Amino acid sequence: MMDSVAHSCKDSTSWQGLLFTVSLLTCWLHPTTSQLTIKSVPPIAVEGENVLLFVHNLPKNVKAFSWYSGVAPFKCCEIASHMIATNFTVMGLAHSGRETVLNNGSLLIKSVTRKDSGYYTLRTLDSTSRPEIIRAEFFVHRPLLGYKKHRTPSQLTIRLVPLRVEENINIFLWVFNLSEKLQAFAWHKGVLPLEHLKIASHSFLTNSTTLGYAYSDRVKVRNDGSLLLFNVKKKDTGLYTLRTISVDLISEWAIIDLQVNTP
């Protein structure tokens, strides 16, 4: 059964540890196709942590690649470009001094700040100079006044029902181990808690639910945090994030990856 990834606010991770994560991810990730993908580690970070945009299945015929901040490969947003054969990197205009490009295409960003939140674009060039563009995202938050770390590892979990999702069916994002004495929870598409990405939020203080505009006629929220999504489409594929905040300001979040298949 597919489980979500759940995290709490953690101490800063050393960049050496993230580099070691590269080798672990290489062993763990075995997709059925050789599609180029990027995994943000972690997808939600606390200010001061390091974030690794780990590239998996970089084609062997890729000769060069470039990283950009934002959703488009504009020159003014270029972080760095890299030649694989010579392992040579040229820093771009958007390089802050905290980014390190790895020869496997990955990008390490040290000591992230909230301004680093958002999308990042990888552009690759193969031996025929054919470009390919792929994007990733992560979110950086800072602890609020009175914020408390988890006393134990987060147990918040999301499970997908049914396990295999096809277009035009209804699905259930089933939440387990929701903390007691919550103030509120919110669902977002992706990992950025932006208003236009909000699916729904619920306040226990007022016992009220607010639905995001794009999902107003397609979702139903339960008090246990679970989410029913009606008539799913291929465009619904992606990450979904549940965030909770308790009355004593303990925050948790969990992420699930939804893949919608064509019947």
Side-chain angles (χ1 to χ4, degrees), residues 204-223:
F204 289 98
L205 301 179
T206 61
N207 193 28
S208 61
T209 299
T210 302
L211 300 180
Y213 176 76
Y215 293 86
S216 59
D217 60 345
R218 298 182 54 206
V219 299
K220 183 177 181 179
V221 179
R222 295 191 355 173
N223 281 350

Side-chain angles (χ1 to χ4, degrees), residues 68-74 77 118-122 133-137:
Y68 302 83
S69 60
V71 297
F74 295 133
C77 299
Y119 287 92
Y120 288 77
T121 299
L122 172 66
I133 292 177
I134 186 172
R135 299 173 183 87
E137 61 174 329

Side-chain angles (χ1 to χ4, degrees), residues 42-106:
I44 299 179
V46 180
E47 281 190 311
E49 287 187 328
N50 302 326
V51 172
L52 177 68
L53 300 179
F54 175 74
V55 174
H56 188 63
N57 286 327
L58 188 70
K60 293 182 179 179
N61 64 344
V62 168
K63 303 302 180 183
F65 60 84
S66 299
W67 275 100
Y68 302 83
S69 60
V71 297
F74 295 133
K75 193 66 177 178
C76 62
C77 299
E78 186 178 41
I79 298 172
S81 60
H82 185 81
M83 296 293 297
I84 294 179
T86 59
N87 196 23
F88 182 70
T89 301
V90 177
M91 306 307 176
L93 295 174
H95 193 276
S96 69
R98 295 179 291 114
E99 298 87 359
T100 301
V101 173
L102 308 180
N103 207 40
N104 69 345
S106 301

Side-chain angles (χ1 to χ4, degrees), residues 135-199:
R135 299 173 183 87
E137 61 174 329
F138 65 87
F139 173 69
V140 181
H141 70 88
R142 65 183 180 189
L144 300 175
L145 182 64
Y147 183 93
K148 299 178 181 179
K149 295 183 181 181
H150 287 286
R151 293 179 291 273
T152 59
S154 173
Q155 299 299 314
L156 187 63
T157 304
I158 309 169
R159 293 183 180 176
L160 181 62
V161 180
L163 291 180
R164 177 177 171 81
V165 177
E166 295 185 349
E167 283 189 298
N168 303 317
I169 70 170
N170 302 333
I171 65 170
F172 191 49
L173 302 182
W174 195 1
V175 175
F176 292 83
N177 302 319
L178 196 71
S179 298
E180 297 180 357
K181 298 181 179 180
L182 287 181
Q183 287 190 45
F185 65 79
W187 279 95
H188 289 84
K189 175 72 181 296
V191 299
L192 303 177
L194 303 178
E195 189 64 26
H196 71 280
L197 298 177
K198 185 173 75 173
I199 300 171

Side-chain angles (χ1 to χ4, degrees), residues 221-239:
V221 179
R222 295 191 355 173
N223 281 350
D224 65 356
S226 300
L227 183 72
L228 181 62
L229 182 59
F230 301 99
N231 194 28
V232 294
K233 303 297 182 183
K234 190 69 175 178
K235 65 180 181 180
D236 294 323
T237 293
L239 299 177

